[in-house]
Amino acid sequence: GLSDPATVTITYDEVPPVATDDVDNGNVVGTDAVVNLLVNDLLSDGSPATPGTTTVDLDPATPGVQTTLTVPGEGVYTYDPATGDLTFNPDAGFTTDPTPITYILTETLTGLSDPATVTITYDEVAPVATDDVDNGNVVGTDAVVNLLSNDLLS
């Protein structure tokens, strides 16, 4: 019965979560676009990312976790930490695709993170110009026609 104590050391290589780029195409101009950021992201152990196991930072340049991001002249992105949904609310009159943004997914258990990009597109609709007619004008006087009154923007 001889014995000798020994120490066993086990180390792990920490693996960050995997944040996958998100795309939401075909939105109607002037309406909110909603995309769930977590549906295609994974935790470090390969299991699905969930609101309870992660945080999402929409503005990594600002200290802390930011759940809103305003893009001047385009609109406001808002992340719902209870559902994982990101909503883009376009500014009034904004009728094109917003600039893609980057978010940081952080796994709360490990503190490790990974960036991903969100791209939202809108189906742009051309404006509709309708012919204009102004009848019954008196010869020798100015005729005034409001060219835009019967036209539609996208």
Side-chain angles (χ1 to χ4, degrees), residues 42-144:
L42 300 173
L43 299 176
S44 58
D45 66 0
S47 63
T50 63
T53 59
T54 59
T55 60
V56 169
D57 187 359
L58 297 182
D59 188 4
T62 301
V65 175
Q66 309 303 313
T67 57
T68 61
L69 176 68
T70 300
V71 179
E74 294 184 12
V76 177
Y77 290 89
T78 304
Y79 177 72
D80 184 345
T83 63
D85 286 344
L86 176 73
T87 301
F88 174 70
N89 177 263
D91 288 346
F94 183 73
T95 60
T96 189
D97 298 337
T99 304
I101 65 165
T102 298
Y103 70 91
I104 303 294
L105 175 74
T106 301
E107 185 173 343
T108 53
L109 184 63
T110 65
L112 299 176
S113 59
D114 193 37
T117 301
V118 179
T119 303
I120 294 175
T121 65
Y122 285 89
D123 288 339
E124 296 181 32
V125 179
V128 177
T130 304
D131 292 342
D132 299 288
V133 176
D134 186 29
N135 295 321
N137 295 296
V138 176
V139 174
T141 62
D142 292 342
V144 178

Side-chain angles (χ1 to χ4, degrees), residues 11-17 44 109-112:
T11 60
Y12 293 93
D13 292 329
E14 290 187 312
V15 177
S44 58
L109 184 63
T110 65
L112 299 176

Side-chain angles (χ1 to χ4, degrees), residues 15-57:
V15 177
V18 177
T20 304
D21 292 346
D22 301 281
V23 177
D24 185 25
N25 294 320
N27 294 286
V28 176
V29 171
T31 63
D32 289 357
V34 179
V35 59
N36 189 292
L37 298 183
L38 303 180
V39 72
N40 60 350
D41 296 343
L42 300 173
L43 299 176
S44 58
D45 66 0
S47 63
T50 63
T53 59
T54 59
T55 60
V56 169
D57 187 359

